[in-house]
Amino acid sequence: MQNGQRAGWRWSGQQPLAPPAPLTDRSTATPAASKKTFFHEWSFLNMDDITALNLRVLRRHNPNILSLIEKSSYCVVYRFDTVNQSWTKAGYEGTLFIYSQRPHVVQTPQGEEQGGEYGFCVLNRLTLDNFWGEINGGDILLEGKFIIRRSLIGGTTPLARAAEVFGLWLYEKEDTPRIYSLLQEYASYNQGNVVD
């Protein structure tokens, strides 16, 4: 070694920092019960708190929402391409919520329609645009892996809301029949609520 240098580092005339303190012995370490973990930090949240938080988020977008009825952890919205006769992703992926809502009027290309007492939303993880659907009559089919919604008042633009066919694909396979049954039940309940 040359003068002023020590094994891989340069000596600048200052004393090197003190070595780190030795690790504590297990016998003197903090008991496991008092250690905080990620889950411990969030243990104050229960399912009611999470539902209330989800409801608050959805109400920021749609103040007509009264309560959350059901959810599915991951949903992808597909649009049916009538030219190619195939399904393509519509750009909406996230948690699906089914909710009850206050009566309200929805503007469509065919005129005004009374919004159903129930609706659904896919909170989009891809962009800031969420997918909203009124459950207001129309056909709901379970075909293969898709819950198909025809005559849908949903989408992002007024023209798209009435003209397109959408399919909902749910990641949790056991959610598909349950969500399908709920959508079908609420659609038949709201059939024919048109404002004259």
Side-chain angles (χ1 to χ4, degrees):
M1 276 189 254
Q2 295 181 357
N3 191 14
Q5 290 184 349
R6 296 171 90 178
W9 56 281
R10 189 179 171 137
W11 181 259
S12 63
Q14 297 177 349
Q15 293 296 322
L17 296 175
L23 297 175
T24 58
D25 182 34
R26 285 189 184 268
S27 62
T28 61
T30 308
S34 65
K35 286 186 181 180
K36 297 207 176 209
T37 63
F38 173 79
F39 296 107
H40 177 76
E41 293 290 326
W42 291 95
S43 65
F44 65 91
L45 285 176
N46 62 35
M47 290 310 290
D48 292 336
D49 294 335
I50 293 170
T51 300
L53 180 64
N54 287 333
L55 183 59
R56 197 168 71 214
V57 168
L58 288 170
R59 281 184 177 159
R60 272 193 268 147
H61 299 284
N62 179 355
N64 293 314
I65 295 175
L66 297 173
S67 65
L68 295 179
I69 297 169
E70 192 60 77
K71 73 175 187 170
S72 181
S73 64
Y74 192 72
C75 175
V76 179
V77 179
Y78 285 82
R79 180 178 288 124
F80 188 71
D81 182 358
T82 54
V83 174
N84 295 327
Q85 296 291 303
S86 64
W87 293 99
T88 57
K89 285 187 176 181
Y92 305 96
E93 297 181 22
T95 304
L96 169 74
F97 294 96
I98 299 176
Y99 53 84
S100 65
Q101 59 187 349
R102 287 183 202 94
H104 61 283
V105 175
V106 178
Q107 190 66 37
T108 68
Q110 291 79 25
E112 290 183 341
E113 289 189 18
Q114 181 67 36
E117 289 183 45
Y118 305 98
F120 66 93
C121 173
V122 175
L123 280 182
N124 202 356
R125 296 178 183 171
L126 302 178
T127 67
L128 296 176
D129 295 326
N130 299 316
F131 185 84
W132 296 89
E134 293 283 334
I135 304 174
N136 194 16
D139 295 330
I140 297 179
L141 307 168
L142 182 58
E143 194 169 294
K145 57 187 176 181
F146 294 108
I147 299 172
I148 300 171
R149 185 74 172 99
R150 292 189 283 196
S151 302
L152 177 69
I153 301 171
T156 57
T157 64
L159 291 176
R161 288 183 178 160
E164 294 179 311
V165 176
F166 291 95
L168 304 175
W169 176 85
L170 305 177
Y171 176 76
E172 300 289 337
K173 301 300 181 216
E174 62 274 3
D175 287 357
T176 303
R178 181 173 44 85
I179 296 294
Y180 165 70
S181 295
L182 281 172
L183 291 174
Q184 191 175 40
E185 175 185 342
Y186 295 142
S188 63
Y189 179 78
N190 283 320
Q191 192 75 35
N193 292 330
V194 178
V195 175
D196 291 329

